Amino acid sequence: MIGKHIRHIKRYQEIVSVLVKYGFGYIVKDVGLFHLLSLPRQIVSDFSGNGNDQKSLGQRIRLMLEELGPTFIKLGQLLSLRTDILPEQIAEAMRGLQDRVTPINAQSVKQIMQQEFGTAVTDVFAQFDEQCIAAASIAQAHHAKLITGEEVAVKIRRPDIESVVENDIEILWDLASLVEKRYEWARTYQITDLVEEFSLAIRSELDYTMEARTTEKLYDFFKSDVNVIIPKVYRDYSTAKVLTLDYVHGYKYEELINRPPKDVSNKIICERLVRSFLDQALICGIFHGDPHPGNLFFFPDNKIGYIDFGQVGHLNESMKRDFGNLIIGLMKGNTELLFRTISTMTVMPDDLNERQLKGDLEGLREKYYRLPFKEVHIGKVISDVFAVTKKHHIGIPKNYTLLGKALITLEGLITSLDSDTNILELAEPYGQRLLIRRLDPSELSKKILMNGYDVVENSMRLPSLLRKTLTHLYKGKTRVEMKLPQLEVLLAKLDRAANRISFSIMLLSLSIILASIILGETFGSRSLITNVPIIGIAVTIVLFMFMIVLLSIFRSGRF
């Protein structure tokens, strides 16, 4: 940790200063980063956290993340999905995070592309527009035309963004571990696991070979569906830092709302939008994680197009089954199925109150049981499920929260386009298909065979594992690990108490020394050093030592 402080000391100081600026100085002090502030800031800043306007908490967090730059903006965008952790008003504020960046100049863009392709831009593209069509904190896009004539969009990663992100991730790991040691809620929600999830997500977003692979999978999945357009990836013109795809341009979402074209039916568009998304999630197993209006295009004959697959979710067969079970459990009023499904698809805390959780799930069941699909809104269902999991400190894996957020976004879009379209009504056939597939004899036989194989495999390993365990016990090599989550807090309190005792002793010592000097000068015999201002010198030395100790205690942040 000390090494990280030294390597990134300037960035640490910047982050700590911004935390204090937006009213989170008490966290800085609690986790022991007080000493990174300048002395004037230490003196004038409020570290109590009592003077903050709680109503503006979400706004302050959003402004703070925007000021800290691209890594923290991306972190906020991830956290905006986590309504299982954050209050809805804070998550909502996070969704307003903006990438306020200046586009890379044309010369830098050409230099990056020349490094990636090993040749000049003019040798690769017949036409390349220097003015970017979109700019964000990680990349920007340009319109171009290949020598073979295809119209393309070229996505270029910003220079040095990888080192910026990697440095910030190291600091985030450090901060997360400090916060977990200090706060119970941080341990409950496993903040370090959240940072790990975030680091994997942003690293994959930085690598365009992964986005290219995902886009190609969905392109192949929809290639026989003329009503869904996924841009083609041009591999020969793409690298880890540059991604070249078909240039997709059609009607924007705002046009469908404000100036509906005559060759487009909003009702058909909504149905195809929902079905294409459910096809991605529940059949293909890869879905667009951010289907907001900027990532969608619409075409004559009610065709739809998706762009920008930097943020995607993945559902394997068991995750699809669990998601289906969740909806079936709510619609069929099966509390036991709901409980089993949530147990399977989430991370349950050790101190979970099962009876209370089942009671809350029973409340959800009563709310939605026997309601017609047209009266049930998927966004409200997801929000209610997240509210229950948050109440019981149940961790939801990223892909489920991403799916939930995408469905909520999608429902908002189709409600504005056609209020009669209902996601759950269109999803019912998918649920039935998943149920029929689950009961298919071939699927059941596969499951039985796999479970039987696991039983046999584990049974064969049992003797060797038992022998190894007994050997370790016999040799005294068995290690017992104990977790004492409050130990760091206790040590901090002891450190604070020791500092106060030291301060008191220094005050007492100063008083005794001064009293002794004064008594000696007043009643003692005269000597050769009578004319030396001994009281002044002694007081100066003692005060100097006193100030050194006091400053040391003050800078530790534990007084």
Side-chain angles (χ1 to χ4, degrees), residues 324-382:
N325 280 342
L326 188 66
I327 302 300
I328 291 168
L330 284 169
M331 297 299 106
K332 300 298 182 186
N334 190 330
T335 306
E336 192 59 39
L337 177 60
L338 281 174
F339 179 77
R340 288 202 311 270
T341 303
I342 289 179
S343 300
T344 305
M345 65 190 292
T346 62
V347 181
M348 298 285 207
D350 296 334
D351 58 348
L352 177 71
N353 186 329
E354 290 190 11
R355 181 179 295 179
Q356 191 174 354
L357 174 59
K358 286 183 178 180
D360 290 336
L361 293 176
E362 181 70 21
L364 278 185
R365 183 193 75 86
E366 290 294 330
K367 185 174 182 178
Y368 294 108
Y369 184 41
R370 296 189 185 280
L371 272 180
F373 278 128
K374 284 187 177 180
E375 295 181 23
V376 181
H377 295 283
I378 190 73
K380 184 61 179 167
V381 173
I382 291 168

Side-chain angles (χ1 to χ4, degrees), residues 78 104 116 143 178 215 242 310 336 365 377 493 503 534 554:
L78 171 69
I104 319 166
E116 291 298 298
H143 173 263
L178 289 172
T215 308
V242 178
E336 192 59 39
R365 183 193 75 86
H377 295 283
K493 288 181 178 178
F503 181 68
I534 190 166
F554 187 64

Side-chain angles (χ1 to χ4, degrees), residues 452-470:
Y453 175 79
D454 286 342
V455 169
V456 172
E457 184 74 12
N458 290 329
S459 298
M460 291 175 66
R461 292 177 60 202
L462 190 59
S464 63
L465 288 171
L466 184 59
R467 184 170 59 251
K468 189 182 292 184
T469 303
L470 290 172

Side-chain angles (χ1 to χ4, degrees), residues 4 11 49 61 144 190 193 214 269 279 283 321 342 366 380 382 399 418 441 472 505 518:
K4 291 179 186 178
R11 182 59 169 157
I61 293 173
Q190 300 174 311
D193 290 349
T214 301
I269 283 285
D279 282 344
I283 298 176
R321 182 178 65 248
I342 289 179
E366 290 294 330
K380 184 61 179 167
I382 291 168
N399 284 303
D418 181 56
H472 282 186
I505 291 171
I518 292 169

Side-chain angles (χ1 to χ4, degrees), residues 253 256-257 266 270 410-420:
Y253 175 78
L256 269 62
I257 296 289
N266 283 4
C270 287
L410 207 60
E411 187 175 56
L413 295 180
I414 65 172
T415 300
S416 299
L417 288 174
D418 181 56
S419 58
D420 292 331

